[in-house]
Amino acid sequence: MNESAGEPAAKPDTPGTAGPASPGTPGAKASGAGTPPPAGSPRADAEARRQRSHLAPPQHAALATKPGPRMLEALVCPLTGGRLVYDASEPALISKAAGLAFPIRSGIPIMLVDEARKIED
């Protein structure tokens, strides 16, 4: 309210008024927002590791594509339900029963019959 009209005056720090925003109110800029962390701090080290992680190639190509023994036990040929054998020369998973080689791309076996290559004994 207007004091002369019998209304109380609005306080500038009250939320929803036109006064300056105080820290912790919506629209207030947090101190240090957008500034990098100090060098050598744990946060700076974690940020540097995160930025480098996508640049590092796998240490060995076979480690990135070869399925482990437990994975080979779990995967079966989608056509016959038979056992698969890893072939490092392609890399692929071979189903001798179906005569198919299922490719491994970026370490992921592609177990689609349409994507498999026919092999001959």
Side-chain angles (χ1 to χ4, degrees), residues 62-97:
L63 293 176
T65 58
K66 183 177 180 181
R70 292 186 71 167
M71 181 63 74
L72 282 174
E73 289 175 17
L75 291 173
V76 295
C77 174
L79 191 62
T80 66
R83 186 172 157 241
L84 298 170
V85 178
Y86 176 69
D87 181 4
S89 66
E90 297 194 34
L93 295 177
I94 307 296
S95 171
K96 292 180 181 177

Side-chain angles (χ1 to χ4, degrees), residues 11 28 30 41 43 58 60-61 67 76 78 92-93 100-101 105 108 121:
K11 295 182 182 178
S41 72
R43 194 171 132 226
H60 190 271
V76 295
L93 295 177
L100 296 172
R105 297 182 190 134
I108 301 170
D121 268 340

Side-chain angles (χ1 to χ4, degrees), residues 7-35:
E7 298 176 8
K11 295 182 182 178
D13 292 335
T14 308
T17 63
S22 61
T25 60
K29 188 173 182 179
S31 64
T35 60

Side-chain angles (χ1 to χ4, degrees), residues 77-80 93 95 98-105 109-119:
C77 174
L79 191 62
T80 66
L93 295 177
S95 171
L100 296 172
F102 296 94
I104 298 175
R105 297 182 190 134
I110 310 300
M111 304 304 297
L112 301 171
V113 175
D114 293 341
E115 295 285 323
R117 181 182 60 79
K118 291 185 181 183
I119 57 172

